[in-house]
Amino acid sequence: MKFSNLPLSKEMLHNLNEIGYKEMTPIQAQSLPHILEGKDVIAQAKTGSGKTAAFGIGLLTKLQVKKFRVQSLILCPTRELADQVSKELRMLARTTHNIKILTLCGGTAFGPQLGSLRHGAHIIVGTPGRILKHLKKETLSLENLDMLVLDEADRMLDMGFSEEINEVLGFAPKTRQTLLFSATYTDEIMDISSSIQKDAVNIKTTSNEIANKISEYFYEVEYGQKLKTLVNIFSNFKPENVIVFCNTKVEANEIANTLQDKKIDALAIHGDLEQYERNDVLVQFANKSCRVLVATDVAARGLDIKELSMVVNYDIPHGDETYTHRIGRTGRAGAEGLAFTLYEANEIQNADEYKNDTRLFEDANELKEIIGFEMRPVNVTLVIEGGKKDKVRAGDILGALTGDAGLAGSSIGKIDIYDRQSYVAIENSKIDEAHKQLKNGKIKGKKFSVWIL
Ligand code: ADP
Ligand code: MG
């Protein structure tokens, strides 16, 4: 569909043509008519699908240039993303004179931002922590705001920004248009949408609409060959992250240890762990500091891991319900999931009972053995001995890591903040740099002990 089908100004259409945007991308075609009508929209679309222009064209069309007040606010998870959004908005706005767009992010000096704010702006793009700081100091007012955008909302929640977002919203007028963009839909995202949006139009682009697609494999394994088969499954199918379910604590520890010996990054979780140990393991698995989680059923209950690429039943589960529940964790958000079930001949009375149209029964001996296969974690977790009770927030940690020639926001993963501790996932190759930066620096003007998990 062409942009000219939309009620856009001549200048905007001309500019889009100049930029080389000839046709709308699917997310633009589906969301822009609603956005231009003033409706709240929640939209899911992959990275690179053109979300920035979708909300950008919407907010620029709505903007009253003559009214020199902050009318639009865009919240982004990192400084890099905020810079990208500002750049795209400037390009879209270049034919309208005198539109002022200001970027406000943590990890950069506060002083110069005050100066820029004093000169005024129409549009603010920034990270929740820094925006909140300006709101509290009353150096920024949202009194005239009529468009609020949460860009990459899932990433913001992952980074621990939900509290800051809620506080920022407290400063915004109730009557406004709110747009929410997210690559994935989770319960948390739907909760946020229902608490901050009104009658939101729900948009998913078709490429993401493919329902949970799970490929189910069953392998009959010779006696004592399960571990070997497990490693072969990993090396042949190369999953990002896996949960291996087994029946006992002893087995869970044994499998995890053997995998570690084989340079496959694994941790065990079972009922014998202390609460804090359990937490350390779950945090590392969820933030990509651990690739394989070996779990007993009890321990895995209530575990909500998004985007799991593989589930392995190391033992055949008792009952169909357990089976369905276990494998349902994989293949989320349109990605294809893989489910494997291993059994020895003596563990199963009649394999036919498990057969149906969708399940593939294979011979474990046909899996190739791949020499030198390793599974290394993407991230490493830093623990900070400070949390909510110490008033430590995601924005403070992000600022301490990225400020003053620090790390790029893209090297920082999930941030989890608990009462007395915080966990930050750091890209593997950047861990020493990050550790040093936090150890020598301060968070909120205070020193905290920091260690690598
Ligand atoms: P997202 O935020 O969904 O990840 P972006 O908004 O960053 O994606 O857009 C990705 C790229 O696509 C950018 O380079 C942008 O300039 C380009 N783009 C956006 N809309 C169009 C369009 N209608 N036609 C051609 N290119 C587009
Ligand atoms: Mg984007």
Side-chain angles (χ1 to χ4, degrees):
M1 209 172 47
K2 290 202 176 342
F3 285 104
S4 51
N5 293 337
L6 297 172
L8 296 175
S9 70
K10 261 210 215 101
E11 293 78 34
M12 178 62 89
L13 288 173
H14 179 73
N15 187 32
L16 289 169
N17 196 44
E18 294 272 290
I19 296 170
Y21 292 5
K22 306 285 178 206
E23 296 256 323
M24 286 189 257
T25 66
I27 187 71
Q28 291 162 1
Q30 288 182 54
S31 65
L32 262 169
H34 300 291
I35 294 175
L36 293 171
E37 264 182 49
K39 297 219 171 89
D40 282 3
V41 167
I42 169 166
Q44 177 190 35
K46 285 187 303 208
T47 325
S49 52
K51 287 179 292 247
T52 323
F55 64 74
I57 294 169
L59 68 85
L60 288 169
T61 302
K62 192 170 187 177
L63 199 77
Q64 295 173 263
V65 185
K66 291 212 177 94
K67 184 168 136 189
F68 195 33
R69 293 279 183 276
V70 173
Q71 296 166 53
S72 314
L73 171 65
I74 300 124
L75 295 177
C76 305
T78 65
R79 184 168 57 182
E80 286 84 355
L81 289 165
D83 285 338
Q84 273 172 32
V85 167
S86 297
K87 205 170 136 211
E88 173 102 9
L89 289 180
R90 291 207 169 89
M91 188 165 77
L92 292 169
R94 65 186 182 170
T95 47
T96 325
H97 291 292
N98 299 323
I99 292 193
K100 279 265 296 184
I101 302 169
L102 195 60
T103 318
L104 299 175
C105 296
T108 47
F110 197 75
Q113 293 184 348
L114 293 177
S116 307
L117 276 167
R118 234 172 273 131
H119 286 111
H122 294 99
I123 301 168
I124 304 276
V125 186
T127 47
R130 183 54 61 96
I131 301 275
L132 185 60
K133 199 163 167 185
H134 281 291
L135 289 168
K136 285 190 169 163
K137 286 196 188 296
E138 296 184 2
T139 46
L140 169 67
S141 159
L142 299 181
E143 228 174 340
N144 293 281
L145 191 84
D146 60 12
M147 174 76 103
L148 174 75
V149 182
L150 303 191
D151 193 18
E152 310 225 5
D154 47 350
R155 184 98 212 277
M156 285 200 277
L157 294 183
D158 268 357
M159 296 186 93
F161 276 134
S162 71
E163 205 180 311
E164 274 115 320
I165 293 172
N166 274 325
E167 280 191 59
V168 167
L169 277 154
F171 288 90
K174 294 260 177 314
T175 339
R176 55 160 201 263
Q177 186 176 6
T178 308
L179 311 179
L180 191 156
F181 293 85
S182 179
T184 55
Y185 271 9
T186 56
D187 292 347
E188 238 183 327
I189 290 286
M190 298 317 285
D191 282 351
I192 264 226
S193 163
S194 62
S195 73
I196 71 171
Q197 296 190 296
K198 283 197 196 106
D199 307 321
V201 180
N202 194 332
I203 290 160
K204 287 185 182 184
T205 43
T206 41
S207 57
N208 280 306
E209 261 177 339
I210 313 154
N212 267 8
K213 192 175 174 323
I214 303 173
S215 304
E216 299 173 58
Y217 296 91
F218 280 67
Y219 279 95
E220 183 175 332
V221 178
E222 279 167 35
Y223 180 75
Q225 296 296 302
K226 278 193 184 173
L227 256 169
K228 189 176 142 202
T229 305
L230 184 65
V231 173
N232 286 344
I233 288 173
F234 290 169
S235 61
N236 279 273
F237 290 88
K238 302 190 172 51
E240 285 288 312
N241 54 359
V242 189
I243 298 185
V244 179
F245 287 100
C246 59
N247 286 339
T248 67
K249 298 167 203 167
V250 178
E251 205 176 32
N253 280 330
E254 212 175 86
I255 298 169
N257 289 336
T258 316
L259 289 175
Q260 277 167 12
D261 289 344
K262 293 185 185 296
K263 300 214 161 79
I264 294 175
D265 176 51
L267 290 172
I269 186 158
H270 50 69
D272 268 4
L273 297 184
E274 297 285 344
Q275 183 59 37
Y276 77 92
E277 293 173 307
R278 185 184 147 82
N279 208 35
D280 282 358
V281 172
L282 290 179
V283 164
Q284 289 183 87
F285 187 65
N287 76 15
K288 304 199 169 105
S289 300
C290 162
R291 302 272 298 268
V292 183
L293 185 68
V294 188
T296 57
D297 243 338
V298 188
R301 204 159 288 161
L303 218 167
D304 181 32
I305 306 285
K306 294 163 227 163
E307 297 174 43
L308 191 62
S309 45
M310 181 187 286
V311 164
V312 179
N313 295 306
Y314 196 77
D315 300 302
I316 212 145
H318 306 296
D320 234 25
E321 208 173 305
T322 312
Y323 177 82
T324 312
H325 187 241
R326 283 182 181 180
I327 74 161
R329 297 164 189 276
T330 175
R332 299 260 173 99
E336 193 178 351
L338 293 166
F340 290 85
T341 301
L342 311 184
Y343 63 92
E344 290 172 2
N346 65 315
E347 290 173 344
I348 195 169
Q349 303 215 316
N350 179 7
D352 287 345
E353 270 179 45
Y354 292 88
K355 289 191 176 155
N356 68 21
D357 298 349
T358 54
R359 296 175 182 171
L360 293 161
F361 279 70
E362 309 269 349
D363 183 353
N365 290 316
E366 275 169 23
L367 283 166
K368 269 188 301 195
E369 212 166 315
I370 296 171
I371 311 294
F373 174 75
E374 293 184 9
M375 270 172 92
R376 294 275 174 217
V378 179
N379 295 327
V380 178
T381 300
L382 272 183
V383 188
I384 300 163
E385 186 78 275
K388 278 192 195 124
K389 295 254 161 79
D390 309 283
K391 304 254 186 300
V392 169
R393 290 160 175 265
D396 305 323
I397 297 175
L398 204 59
L401 281 165
T402 57
D404 299 332
L407 278 77
S410 56
S411 303
I412 301 161
K414 211 166 176 300
I415 299 178
D416 294 286
I417 305 195
Y418 292 88
D419 280 354
R420 288 282 173 212
Q421 268 188 350
S422 308
Y423 299 83
V424 194
I426 308 283
E427 190 187 324
N428 223 329
S429 61
K430 297 288 191 308
I431 185 66
D432 292 330
E433 201 180 315
H435 189 200
K436 214 189 285 162
Q437 176 104 354
L438 281 191
K439 222 170 50 185
N440 300 334
K442 290 181 174 171
I443 300 172
K444 278 217 151 139
K446 258 170 71 183
K447 281 235 175 244
F448 289 98
S449 26
V450 179
W451 67 92
I452 298 170
L453 202 62

